[in-house]
Amino acid sequence: MAKQAKKRTTRKTATRRPRQAPKMLSDLFLETLKDIYYAENKIIKTLPKMAKAAHSKDLAAAFNKHLRETQGQVKRLEQIFKMLGKPARGKPCEAINGITDEGAEIMKDFKNAPALDAGLLAAAQAVEHYEISRYGTLRTWAEELGMPDAARLLQATLDEEEATDHTLSELATSVINLEAEEEYRAAA
């Protein structure tokens, strides 16, 4: 009899616990917005280091140009947080931490090496591809959530990220990779 009473108490306790509201697309949108806000602020700290490490003036200039764009992108994100009535606050993004750690490792391991700029460029493109993925997703969700102003801001940033990726690809194939190969051959 004591066992039955205990079971009933357990069941009653379990049913009295407040249920957590199901997570909605708007919740996912906000969490992803926090993720990319953190990422962009991390990138702002990383780009000057990459520009300084680059041997190519063209690559350093591309990094500095994207730094200015990234600062504007952070302002757009802050506008979206304001639209949502939420504080502009990031949450740690392990993906961008990993990508930037790889870039730091390249700067260390290839310092003064012929392939340094090619490695920096590849690391920068990894960042761009991550950002393109995030901004494309956020833009689509903003549209689906009926937030056309946020979607417009996110599309503006997505356009910049895609243009930067294109610039980096052009720089890689027309200059950086060729210079790395020439420097290697000259040293051999």
Short mmCIF file of all heavy atoms in Angstrom, two decimals, residues 90-150:
data_model
loop_
_atom_site.label_atom_id
_atom_site.label_comp_id
_atom_site.label_asym_id
_atom_site.label_seq_id
_atom_site.Cartn_x
_atom_site.Cartn_y
_atom_site.Cartn_z
N GLY A 90 25.50 39.18 -27.86
CA GLY A 90 25.92 37.97 -28.54
C GLY A 90 25.95 36.79 -27.58
O GLY A 90 25.88 36.96 -26.36
N LYS A 91 26.03 35.63 -28.16
CA LYS A 91 26.27 34.42 -27.37
C LYS A 91 27.44 33.71 -28.03
O LYS A 91 27.59 33.74 -29.26
CB LYS A 91 25.04 33.53 -27.30
CG LYS A 91 24.66 32.83 -28.57
CD LYS A 91 23.55 31.84 -28.35
CE LYS A 91 23.42 30.96 -29.58
NZ LYS A 91 22.53 29.87 -29.41
N PRO A 92 28.32 33.12 -27.23
CA PRO A 92 29.50 32.50 -27.81
C PRO A 92 29.16 31.56 -28.98
O PRO A 92 28.24 30.76 -28.90
CB PRO A 92 30.12 31.74 -26.64
CG PRO A 92 29.68 32.52 -25.44
CD PRO A 92 28.29 32.98 -25.77
N CYS A 93 29.93 31.71 -30.03
CA CYS A 93 29.73 30.94 -31.25
C CYS A 93 30.96 30.07 -31.46
O CYS A 93 32.02 30.56 -31.86
CB CYS A 93 29.53 31.90 -32.43
SG CYS A 93 29.52 31.10 -34.03
N GLU A 94 30.82 28.79 -31.15
CA GLU A 94 31.95 27.87 -31.26
C GLU A 94 32.44 27.73 -32.70
O GLU A 94 33.63 27.54 -32.94
CB GLU A 94 31.59 26.50 -30.68
CG GLU A 94 31.35 26.54 -29.17
CD GLU A 94 32.49 27.15 -28.37
OE1 GLU A 94 33.67 26.84 -28.66
OE2 GLU A 94 32.22 27.97 -27.48
N ALA A 95 31.54 27.87 -33.65
CA ALA A 95 31.94 27.74 -35.06
C ALA A 95 32.92 28.85 -35.43
O ALA A 95 33.99 28.58 -36.00
CB ALA A 95 30.71 27.78 -35.97
N ILE A 96 32.60 30.10 -35.13
CA ILE A 96 33.49 31.19 -35.50
C ILE A 96 34.76 31.16 -34.65
O ILE A 96 35.83 31.51 -35.14
CB ILE A 96 32.77 32.56 -35.45
CG1 ILE A 96 33.44 33.54 -36.43
CG2 ILE A 96 32.76 33.15 -34.07
CD1 ILE A 96 33.28 33.19 -37.87
N ASN A 97 34.65 30.72 -33.41
CA ASN A 97 35.86 30.58 -32.59
C ASN A 97 36.81 29.57 -33.22
O ASN A 97 38.02 29.81 -33.30
CB ASN A 97 35.51 30.14 -31.16
CG ASN A 97 34.93 31.27 -30.33
OD1 ASN A 97 35.12 32.44 -30.63
ND2 ASN A 97 34.21 30.92 -29.29
N GLY A 98 36.26 28.47 -33.71
CA GLY A 98 37.09 27.46 -34.36
C GLY A 98 37.72 27.97 -35.64
O GLY A 98 38.92 27.76 -35.89
N ILE A 99 36.95 28.66 -36.45
CA ILE A 99 37.47 29.18 -37.71
C ILE A 99 38.55 30.23 -37.47
O ILE A 99 39.60 30.22 -38.12
CB ILE A 99 36.32 29.76 -38.58
CG1 ILE A 99 35.37 28.63 -39.04
CG2 ILE A 99 36.89 30.50 -39.79
CD1 ILE A 99 34.08 29.13 -39.67
N THR A 100 38.32 31.13 -36.51
CA THR A 100 39.34 32.16 -36.23
C THR A 100 40.57 31.55 -35.56
O THR A 100 41.68 32.03 -35.78
CB THR A 100 38.77 33.32 -35.41
OG1 THR A 100 38.19 32.83 -34.19
CG2 THR A 100 37.71 34.09 -36.19
N ASP A 101 40.37 30.50 -34.77
CA ASP A 101 41.53 29.81 -34.19
C ASP A 101 42.40 29.19 -35.29
O ASP A 101 43.63 29.22 -35.21
CB ASP A 101 41.09 28.72 -33.21
CG ASP A 101 40.58 29.27 -31.88
OD1 ASP A 101 40.74 30.48 -31.63
OD2 ASP A 101 40.00 28.48 -31.11
N GLU A 102 41.75 28.64 -36.31
CA GLU A 102 42.50 28.09 -37.44
C GLU A 102 43.29 29.19 -38.15
O GLU A 102 44.45 28.99 -38.53
CB GLU A 102 41.56 27.41 -38.44
CG GLU A 102 41.06 26.07 -37.98
CD GLU A 102 40.12 25.42 -38.98
OE1 GLU A 102 39.99 25.92 -40.12
OE2 GLU A 102 39.51 24.40 -38.63
N GLY A 103 42.68 30.36 -38.31
CA GLY A 103 43.38 31.49 -38.92
C GLY A 103 44.58 31.91 -38.10
O GLY A 103 45.66 32.19 -38.64
N ALA A 104 44.43 31.94 -36.77
CA ALA A 104 45.54 32.30 -35.88
C ALA A 104 46.66 31.26 -35.99
O ALA A 104 47.85 31.61 -35.97
CB ALA A 104 45.05 32.41 -34.44
N GLU A 105 46.28 30.02 -36.12
CA GLU A 105 47.27 28.94 -36.26
C GLU A 105 48.04 29.10 -37.57
O GLU A 105 49.27 28.91 -37.60
CB GLU A 105 46.55 27.59 -36.22
CG GLU A 105 47.48 26.40 -36.15
CD GLU A 105 46.70 25.10 -36.01
OE1 GLU A 105 45.72 25.06 -35.24
OE2 GLU A 105 47.10 24.13 -36.67
N ILE A 106 47.35 29.46 -38.63
CA ILE A 106 48.02 29.70 -39.92
C ILE A 106 49.01 30.86 -39.79
O ILE A 106 50.14 30.78 -40.27
CB ILE A 106 46.98 29.97 -41.03
CG1 ILE A 106 46.25 28.67 -41.38
CG2 ILE A 106 47.64 30.58 -42.28
CD1 ILE A 106 45.02 28.86 -42.24
N MET A 107 48.58 31.95 -39.13
CA MET A 107 49.48 33.09 -38.95
C MET A 107 50.74 32.69 -38.20
O MET A 107 51.83 33.16 -38.50
CB MET A 107 48.77 34.23 -38.21
CG MET A 107 47.80 34.99 -39.08
SD MET A 107 47.15 36.48 -38.28
CE MET A 107 45.81 35.79 -37.32
N LYS A 108 50.59 31.82 -37.24
CA LYS A 108 51.74 31.36 -36.42
C LYS A 108 52.60 30.37 -37.20
O LYS A 108 53.81 30.54 -37.30
CB LYS A 108 51.22 30.72 -35.13
CG LYS A 108 52.30 30.22 -34.22
CD LYS A 108 51.70 29.55 -32.99
CE LYS A 108 52.77 28.73 -32.28
NZ LYS A 108 52.24 27.57 -31.64
N ASP A 109 51.98 29.35 -37.76
CA ASP A 109 52.72 28.26 -38.41
C ASP A 109 53.35 28.65 -39.75
O ASP A 109 54.33 28.05 -40.17
CB ASP A 109 51.83 27.04 -38.61
CG ASP A 109 51.41 26.38 -37.31
OD1 ASP A 109 51.97 26.74 -36.25
OD2 ASP A 109 50.52 25.52 -37.34
N PHE A 110 52.78 29.65 -40.43
CA PHE A 110 53.26 30.02 -41.76
C PHE A 110 53.87 31.43 -41.79
O PHE A 110 54.05 31.99 -42.87
CB PHE A 110 52.13 29.90 -42.80
CG PHE A 110 51.79 28.47 -43.11
CD1 PHE A 110 50.92 27.75 -42.29
CD2 PHE A 110 52.34 27.84 -44.21
CE1 PHE A 110 50.61 26.43 -42.58
CE2 PHE A 110 52.05 26.52 -44.49
CZ PHE A 110 51.17 25.81 -43.68
N LYS A 111 54.17 31.97 -40.62
CA LYS A 111 54.76 33.30 -40.55
C LYS A 111 56.01 33.33 -41.44
O LYS A 111 56.86 32.44 -41.37
CB LYS A 111 55.13 33.62 -39.09
CG LYS A 111 55.64 35.01 -38.89
CD LYS A 111 55.89 35.28 -37.42
CE LYS A 111 56.33 36.72 -37.25
NZ LYS A 111 56.52 37.05 -35.84
N ASN A 112 56.07 34.33 -42.31
CA ASN A 112 57.19 34.52 -43.25
C ASN A 112 57.33 33.40 -44.28
O ASN A 112 58.35 33.32 -44.96
CB ASN A 112 58.51 34.71 -42.50
CG ASN A 112 58.48 35.95 -41.63
OD1 ASN A 112 57.94 36.97 -42.01
ND2 ASN A 112 59.03 35.84 -40.43
N ALA A 113 56.35 32.54 -44.40
CA ALA A 113 56.38 31.45 -45.38
C ALA A 113 55.70 31.90 -46.67
O ALA A 113 54.81 32.75 -46.64
CB ALA A 113 55.70 30.21 -44.83
N PRO A 114 56.10 31.33 -47.81
CA PRO A 114 55.47 31.70 -49.08
C PRO A 114 53.95 31.49 -49.10
O PRO A 114 53.24 32.23 -49.77
CB PRO A 114 56.15 30.77 -50.09
CG PRO A 114 57.42 30.36 -49.46
CD PRO A 114 57.18 30.37 -47.98
N ALA A 115 53.47 30.53 -48.37
CA ALA A 115 52.04 30.21 -48.42
C ALA A 115 51.20 30.96 -47.39
O ALA A 115 50.00 30.73 -47.30
CB ALA A 115 51.85 28.70 -48.23
N LEU A 116 51.81 31.88 -46.64
CA LEU A 116 51.06 32.59 -45.59
C LEU A 116 49.81 33.27 -46.14
O LEU A 116 48.71 33.06 -45.62
CB LEU A 116 51.93 33.62 -44.87
CG LEU A 116 51.17 34.51 -43.87
CD1 LEU A 116 50.62 33.67 -42.71
CD2 LEU A 116 52.04 35.64 -43.37
N ASP A 117 49.96 34.07 -47.17
CA ASP A 117 48.82 34.81 -47.70
C ASP A 117 47.74 33.88 -48.23
O ASP A 117 46.54 34.13 -48.06
CB ASP A 117 49.25 35.80 -48.77
CG ASP A 117 49.92 37.04 -48.17
OD1 ASP A 117 49.92 37.18 -46.93
OD2 ASP A 117 50.42 37.87 -48.95
N ALA A 118 48.15 32.79 -48.87
CA ALA A 118 47.16 31.82 -49.36
C ALA A 118 46.39 31.21 -48.18
O ALA A 118 45.17 31.03 -48.25
CB ALA A 118 47.85 30.72 -50.17
N GLY A 119 47.07 30.94 -47.09
CA GLY A 119 46.41 30.41 -45.91
C GLY A 119 45.49 31.43 -45.25
O GLY A 119 44.38 31.09 -44.83
N LEU A 120 45.95 32.67 -45.18
CA LEU A 120 45.10 33.74 -44.61
C LEU A 120 43.84 33.92 -45.44
O LEU A 120 42.74 34.07 -44.91
CB LEU A 120 45.87 35.06 -44.55
CG LEU A 120 46.98 35.18 -43.53
CD1 LEU A 120 47.76 36.47 -43.71
CD2 LEU A 120 46.41 35.09 -42.12
N LEU A 121 44.01 33.90 -46.75
CA LEU A 121 42.88 34.06 -47.65
C LEU A 121 41.89 32.91 -47.48
O LEU A 121 40.68 33.14 -47.41
CB LEU A 121 43.38 34.16 -49.09
CG LEU A 121 42.40 34.76 -50.06
CD1 LEU A 121 43.13 35.58 -51.10
CD2 LEU A 121 41.57 33.71 -50.71
N ALA A 122 42.40 31.70 -47.38
CA ALA A 122 41.52 30.54 -47.20
C ALA A 122 40.77 30.64 -45.87
O ALA A 122 39.57 30.34 -45.80
CB ALA A 122 42.34 29.25 -47.25
N ALA A 123 41.45 31.10 -44.83
CA ALA A 123 40.79 31.26 -43.53
C ALA A 123 39.70 32.33 -43.61
O ALA A 123 38.61 32.16 -43.06
CB ALA A 123 41.82 31.63 -42.46
N ALA A 124 39.99 33.41 -44.33
CA ALA A 124 39.00 34.47 -44.49
C ALA A 124 37.78 33.97 -45.26
O ALA A 124 36.64 34.31 -44.93
CB ALA A 124 39.62 35.67 -45.20
N GLN A 125 38.02 33.14 -46.26
CA GLN A 125 36.88 32.60 -47.01
C GLN A 125 36.06 31.63 -46.18
O GLN A 125 34.83 31.58 -46.32
CB GLN A 125 37.34 31.94 -48.31
CG GLN A 125 37.67 32.99 -49.36
CD GLN A 125 37.75 32.42 -50.74
OE1 GLN A 125 38.71 31.72 -51.06
NE2 GLN A 125 36.77 32.73 -51.56
N ALA A 126 36.68 30.92 -45.27
CA ALA A 126 35.92 30.05 -44.36
C ALA A 126 34.97 30.91 -43.52
O ALA A 126 33.81 30.54 -43.31
CB ALA A 126 36.86 29.24 -43.47
N VAL A 127 35.46 32.05 -43.06
CA VAL A 127 34.62 32.98 -42.31
C VAL A 127 33.47 33.47 -43.19
O VAL A 127 32.31 33.49 -42.77
CB VAL A 127 35.45 34.17 -41.78
CG1 VAL A 127 34.54 35.27 -41.24
CG2 VAL A 127 36.42 33.71 -40.70
N GLU A 128 33.80 33.87 -44.41
CA GLU A 128 32.77 34.39 -45.32
C GLU A 128 31.69 33.34 -45.59
O GLU A 128 30.50 33.66 -45.59
CB GLU A 128 33.38 34.84 -46.66
CG GLU A 128 34.25 36.06 -46.55
CD GLU A 128 33.58 37.21 -45.82
OE1 GLU A 128 32.46 37.60 -46.21
OE2 GLU A 128 34.17 37.72 -44.86
N HIS A 129 32.09 32.11 -45.80
CA HIS A 129 31.10 31.06 -46.09
C HIS A 129 30.19 30.82 -44.89
O HIS A 129 28.99 30.60 -45.05
CB HIS A 129 31.80 29.78 -46.54
CG HIS A 129 32.51 29.94 -47.84
ND1 HIS A 129 33.30 28.96 -48.38
CD2 HIS A 129 32.57 30.98 -48.71
CE1 HIS A 129 33.79 29.39 -49.53
NE2 HIS A 129 33.37 30.62 -49.75
N TYR A 130 30.76 30.88 -43.70
CA TYR A 130 29.94 30.77 -42.49
C TYR A 130 28.92 31.91 -42.42
O TYR A 130 27.73 31.70 -42.18
CB TYR A 130 30.83 30.76 -41.24
CG TYR A 130 30.02 30.70 -39.97
CD1 TYR A 130 29.46 29.51 -39.54
CD2 TYR A 130 29.78 31.85 -39.21
CE1 TYR A 130 28.69 29.45 -38.40
CE2 TYR A 130 29.01 31.80 -38.07
CZ TYR A 130 28.47 30.60 -37.66
OH TYR A 130 27.70 30.55 -36.53
N GLU A 131 29.42 33.12 -42.66
CA GLU A 131 28.53 34.29 -42.60
C GLU A 131 27.45 34.23 -43.67
O GLU A 131 26.29 34.55 -43.41
CB GLU A 131 29.34 35.58 -42.76
CG GLU A 131 30.25 35.87 -41.59
CD GLU A 131 31.11 37.08 -41.84
OE1 GLU A 131 31.88 37.08 -42.82
OE2 GLU A 131 30.99 38.04 -41.06
N ILE A 132 27.82 33.84 -44.87
CA ILE A 132 26.83 33.73 -45.96
C ILE A 132 25.73 32.76 -45.56
O ILE A 132 24.54 33.03 -45.75
CB ILE A 132 27.52 33.32 -47.28
CG1 ILE A 132 28.36 34.48 -47.82
CG2 ILE A 132 26.50 32.84 -48.31
CD1 ILE A 132 29.34 34.10 -48.93
N SER A 133 26.11 31.64 -44.98
CA SER A 133 25.13 30.66 -44.53
C SER A 133 24.19 31.26 -43.49
O SER A 133 22.96 31.12 -43.58
CB SER A 133 25.85 29.44 -43.96
OG SER A 133 24.96 28.58 -43.31
N ARG A 134 24.76 31.91 -42.50
CA ARG A 134 23.95 32.49 -41.41
C ARG A 134 23.03 33.59 -41.92
O ARG A 134 21.85 33.63 -41.57
CB ARG A 134 24.85 33.05 -40.30
CG ARG A 134 25.46 32.00 -39.43
CD ARG A 134 24.37 31.31 -38.67
NE ARG A 134 24.94 30.43 -37.67
CZ ARG A 134 24.35 29.34 -37.24
NH1 ARG A 134 23.20 28.97 -37.73
NH2 ARG A 134 24.91 28.61 -36.33
N TYR A 135 23.57 34.51 -42.71
CA TYR A 135 22.75 35.63 -43.18
C TYR A 135 21.66 35.18 -44.13
O TYR A 135 20.55 35.72 -44.11
CB TYR A 135 23.62 36.73 -43.79
CG TYR A 135 24.29 37.57 -42.73
CD1 TYR A 135 25.66 37.52 -42.54
CD2 TYR A 135 23.54 38.38 -41.88
CE1 TYR A 135 26.27 38.26 -41.54
CE2 TYR A 135 24.14 39.12 -40.88
CZ TYR A 135 25.51 39.06 -40.72
OH TYR A 135 26.11 39.79 -39.73
N GLY A 136 21.94 34.20 -44.96
CA GLY A 136 20.90 33.68 -45.85
C GLY A 136 19.76 33.06 -45.06
O GLY A 136 18.58 33.29 -45.34
N THR A 137 20.12 32.31 -44.04
CA THR A 137 19.11 31.69 -43.18
C THR A 137 18.31 32.73 -42.43
O THR A 137 17.07 32.69 -42.40
CB THR A 137 19.80 30.72 -42.19
OG1 THR A 137 20.43 29.68 -42.94
CG2 THR A 137 18.81 30.13 -41.21
N LEU A 138 19.00 33.68 -41.82
CA LEU A 138 18.31 34.73 -41.05
C LEU A 138 17.38 35.56 -41.95
O LEU A 138 16.27 35.90 -41.54
CB LEU A 138 19.32 35.64 -40.36
CG LEU A 138 19.97 35.07 -39.10
CD1 LEU A 138 21.19 35.88 -38.70
CD2 LEU A 138 18.95 35.02 -37.95
N ARG A 139 17.84 35.89 -43.15
CA ARG A 139 17.00 36.66 -44.06
C ARG A 139 15.71 35.90 -44.40
O ARG A 139 14.62 36.45 -44.36
CB ARG A 139 17.79 36.96 -45.34
CG ARG A 139 17.12 37.92 -46.32
CD ARG A 139 16.59 37.36 -47.63
NE ARG A 139 16.74 35.97 -47.88
CZ ARG A 139 17.65 35.40 -48.68
NH1 ARG A 139 18.54 36.12 -49.31
NH2 ARG A 139 17.66 34.10 -48.86
N THR A 140 15.86 34.60 -44.68
CA THR A 140 14.69 33.78 -45.00
C THR A 140 13.74 33.71 -43.82
O THR A 140 12.52 33.86 -43.97
CB THR A 140 15.13 32.37 -45.43
OG1 THR A 140 15.96 32.49 -46.59
CG2 THR A 140 13.94 31.47 -45.72
N TRP A 141 14.27 33.50 -42.62
CA TRP A 141 13.42 33.45 -41.44
C TRP A 141 12.74 34.79 -41.18
O TRP A 141 11.57 34.82 -40.79
CB TRP A 141 14.22 33.02 -40.21
CG TRP A 141 14.63 31.58 -40.23
CD1 TRP A 141 14.15 30.59 -41.04
CD2 TRP A 141 15.61 30.96 -39.40
NE1 TRP A 141 14.77 29.39 -40.75
CE2 TRP A 141 15.68 29.59 -39.75
CE3 TRP A 141 16.45 31.44 -38.39
CZ2 TRP A 141 16.53 28.70 -39.12
CZ3 TRP A 141 17.32 30.55 -37.77
CH2 TRP A 141 17.34 29.19 -38.13
N ALA A 142 13.45 35.88 -41.39
CA ALA A 142 12.84 37.21 -41.19
C ALA A 142 11.66 37.38 -42.15
O ALA A 142 10.60 37.88 -41.75
CB ALA A 142 13.88 38.31 -41.42
N GLU A 143 11.82 36.93 -43.38
CA GLU A 143 10.70 36.99 -44.35
C GLU A 143 9.54 36.15 -43.86
O GLU A 143 8.38 36.58 -43.88
CB GLU A 143 11.17 36.50 -45.72
CG GLU A 143 12.13 37.45 -46.40
CD GLU A 143 12.80 36.85 -47.64
OE1 GLU A 143 12.69 35.62 -47.86
OE2 GLU A 143 13.46 37.62 -48.37
N GLU A 144 9.83 34.93 -43.41
CA GLU A 144 8.78 34.02 -42.96
C GLU A 144 8.09 34.51 -41.69
O GLU A 144 6.92 34.23 -41.46
CB GLU A 144 9.35 32.61 -42.75
CG GLU A 144 9.74 31.97 -44.07
CD GLU A 144 10.51 30.67 -43.92
OE1 GLU A 144 10.75 30.22 -42.79
OE2 GLU A 144 10.85 30.09 -44.97
N LEU A 145 8.83 35.28 -40.88
CA LEU A 145 8.26 35.83 -39.63
C LEU A 145 7.58 37.17 -39.84
O LEU A 145 7.13 37.79 -38.88
CB LEU A 145 9.37 35.95 -38.57
CG LEU A 145 9.91 34.62 -38.05
CD1 LEU A 145 11.20 34.85 -37.27
CD2 LEU A 145 8.87 33.91 -37.18
N GLY A 146 7.50 37.62 -41.09
CA GLY A 146 6.82 38.88 -41.39
C GLY A 146 7.61 40.10 -40.92
O GLY A 146 7.03 41.07 -40.44
N MET A 147 8.93 40.05 -41.08
CA MET A 147 9.79 41.16 -40.68
C MET A 147 10.55 41.68 -41.91
O MET A 147 11.75 41.45 -42.05
CB MET A 147 10.75 40.70 -39.58
CG MET A 147 10.03 40.20 -38.35
SD MET A 147 11.04 39.61 -36.94
CE MET A 147 12.60 39.23 -37.57
N PRO A 148 9.86 42.38 -42.81
CA PRO A 148 10.50 42.80 -44.05
C PRO A 148 11.67 43.77 -43.84
O PRO A 148 12.64 43.74 -44.61
CB PRO A 148 9.37 43.46 -44.85
CG PRO A 148 8.35 43.83 -43.83
CD PRO A 148 8.46 42.82 -42.73
N ASP A 149 11.61 44.63 -42.83
CA ASP A 149 12.72 45.56 -42.58
C ASP A 149 13.97 44.81 -42.14
O ASP A 149 15.08 45.13 -42.58
CB ASP A 149 12.32 46.61 -41.54
CG ASP A 149 11.24 47.56 -42.06
OD1 ASP A 149 11.10 47.68 -43.29
OD2 ASP A 149 10.55 48.18 -41.23
N ALA A 150 13.80 43.83 -41.29
CA ALA A 150 14.93 43.01 -40.86
C ALA A 150 15.47 42.22 -42.05
O ALA A 150 16.69 42.11 -42.24
CB ALA A 150 14.52 42.07 -39.73
#
